[in-house]
Amino acid sequence: MRALTGIQPTNILHIGNLFGALQPAVALQHDTDLAMMIVDLHAITVPQDPKTLRERILFLAAAYIAAGIDPKKTMLFQQSQVSAHSELAWILQTVCRIGEAERMTQFKDKAGEKSEKVSVGLFTYPILMAADILLYDTEVVPVGEDQKQHVELARDLAIRFNRDFGETFVVPKPVIRQSGARIRSLLEPEKKMSKSATNAKSYISIMDDADVIRKKIRGAVTDSEDGITVDDSRLGLKNLLTILHAITGQSMVDIAAGYEGKAMKNLKDDVAEALVLSLEPMQAEINGLLTNEDSLIAIIAEGSQKAKGLADVKIKKVKQAMGLLL
Ligand code: ATP
Ligand code: MG
């Protein structure tokens, strides 16, 4: 069974990416054929500084490996090195309806009031994502809640293409991780934690040092109600419990029960310490990997070559099905 997942090299990863995307992907390596992308073509839908983007691509490869992605087992590759992604994205733009694209909430969230000024690429982003998924006969796409709608679009486009041009694509399923699936912003808990958020205090980067982590968790927005409870009306608190749950595997109810008679401050201190302990070994490994850039570049190139082999076969089938003379 083929599973596929990807993270944008838009910034250093945050703990939501780690708990919600990267760790579940690592677990998938055992019983699926995993494709793990560095989705740089997605990253450029918002402005990127070229020098920084290059660094972020290498960082992401290092983070994947440090988190436990094994490039021998998993097809770790860079999207822009496989030209079929761009080709299929164009073709699927001719299959996708304007109305469908307009319903995508990520565009509305990211474009906000400035929708006239953002790139067309930000609008067509979900169609590129559909191409990523459909090129590799992906059955399972493990994503956070924020990406579920995009996987559903990929399903719809696959079904329509198959109907109009003959059986070509495998229809994918979104798989939402039940726990830790959504880590919220520390400052605005009604929003998800995001790499491209402007205020760094809203997220914990996986490279934050101990002091920064303690400060950010201390500053996390909670409420002034008494007691530590699991409650959807207390999103800031629930977020802290979710983080502890993601690290320890203990249920949130059990964690909350352990804080009877204690204050929010006690919980925050424990969350901060748990994060420091779980991130430190990974940080050391990432830094080690980044000192050998050539080896990272070689790993990415090798995985991308493999991906290109598969993707080129698929894009040919697509063109043939549509009557585009080969
Ligand atoms: P950006 O702000 O640049 O969009 P992002 O933080 O949303 O960055 P992405 O690269 O878009 O990260 O998403 C990578 C993966 O991480 C996706 O599978 C997505 O579902 C997951 N993810 C993103 N944010 C969170 C979060 N706050 N909690 C859990 N998972 C998340
Ligand atoms: Mg995102």
Side-chain angles (χ1 to χ4, degrees):
M1 191 171 64
R2 162 80 66 201
L4 173 134
T5 197
I7 300 182
Q8 301 183 77
T10 35
N11 202 345
I12 302 292
L13 304 193
H14 55 72
I15 54 170
N17 302 134
L18 180 65
F19 300 140
L22 196 41
Q23 287 180 350
V26 170
L28 272 175
Q29 286 184 119
H30 305 297
D31 42 19
T32 64
D33 229 341
L34 179 66
M36 192 76 201
M37 292 186 297
I38 298 170
V39 284
D40 52 354
L41 294 176
H42 283 282
I44 58 172
T45 58
V46 295
Q48 301 294 336
D49 167 62
K51 189 168 161 283
T52 313
L53 180 59
R54 184 183 186 281
E55 283 166 11
R56 295 283 186 258
I57 290 169
L58 290 167
F59 173 85
L60 193 50
Y64 283 175
I65 296 167
I69 293 293
D70 174 1
K72 293 216 164 48
K73 217 186 265 169
T74 287
M75 194 165 78
L76 189 171
F77 71 100
Q78 183 188 342
Q79 188 185 29
S80 68
Q81 290 198 27
V82 184
S83 57
H85 288 259
S86 306
E87 285 184 76
L88 184 58
W90 174 256
I91 288 172
L92 293 177
Q93 284 185 63
T94 68
V95 176
C96 185
R97 316 273 198 254
I98 282 279
E100 273 172 324
E102 278 175 350
R103 280 197 292 277
M104 299 293 119
T105 55
Q106 175 180 277
F107 176 75
K108 291 180 204 159
D109 291 347
K110 286 197 171 175
E113 304 290 292
K114 300 179 304 232
S115 65
E116 294 284 312
K117 291 221 166 103
V118 297
S119 77
V120 175
L122 189 64
F123 180 64
T124 55
Y125 176 116
I127 305 173
L128 175 59
M129 182 164 158
D132 303 337
I133 295 167
L134 300 181
L135 270 178
Y136 300 97
D137 289 339
T138 310
E139 285 154 281
V140 179
V141 189
V143 284
E145 231 11 280
D146 62 308
Q147 295 295 323
K148 182 163 178 259
Q149 200 189 25
H150 293 168
V151 183
E152 282 161 0
L153 178 71
R155 276 179 76 83
D156 293 344
L157 296 181
I159 291 168
R160 188 173 311 144
F161 191 99
N162 288 346
R163 186 199 65 196
D164 293 349
F165 301 107
E167 213 48 48
T168 308
F169 293 124
V170 169
V171 179
K173 270 197 283 297
V175 174
I176 304 294
R177 219 168 66 113
Q178 290 311 309
S179 55
R182 189 183 170 91
I183 305 290
R184 297 171 177 278
S185 157
L186 298 178
L187 298 182
E188 296 167 280
E190 60 292 344
K191 294 190 183 160
K192 79 170 194 75
M193 190 174 279
S194 249
K195 277 192 256 102
S196 42
T198 40
N199 190 343
K201 290 183 186 148
S202 71
Y203 56 80
I204 304 276
S205 145
I206 62 168
M207 298 308 275
D208 280 344
D209 66 28
D211 280 346
V212 171
I213 292 176
R214 290 186 190 114
K215 271 201 200 100
K216 286 182 179 176
I217 294 291
R218 231 178 282 140
V221 170
T222 49
D223 56 63
S224 50
E225 272 177 55
D226 279 339
I228 305 295
T229 54
V230 186
D231 188 337
D232 281 334
S233 67
R234 306 179 73 189
L235 288 179
L237 165 60
K238 194 171 171 200
N239 197 31
L240 296 176
L241 293 170
T242 304
I243 294 171
L244 264 190
H245 162 71
I247 296 173
T248 64
Q250 242 190 317
S251 80
M252 287 197 258
V253 174
D254 286 351
I255 296 172
Y259 285 90
E260 227 189 277
K262 291 190 187 163
M264 194 72 81
K265 183 183 176 309
N266 304 110
L267 173 66
K268 283 188 170 178
D269 287 347
D270 292 348
V271 170
E273 291 323 303
L275 277 171
V276 170
L277 276 180
S278 75
L279 293 179
E280 265 172 359
M282 195 175 152
Q283 295 175 346
E285 180 148 8
I286 292 175
N287 286 329
L289 287 161
L290 285 172
T291 57
N292 193 347
E293 201 176 290
D294 288 345
S295 136
L296 282 176
I297 291 174
I299 291 172
I300 297 171
E302 197 179 317
S304 301
Q305 241 355 77
K306 223 185 278 172
K308 195 171 153 37
L310 298 176
D312 284 353
V313 172
K314 185 57 109 186
I315 194 77
K316 269 196 188 143
K317 282 199 185 132
V318 169
K319 288 180 181 173
Q320 234 159 7
M322 296 183 92
L324 297 164
L325 183 71
L326 290 177

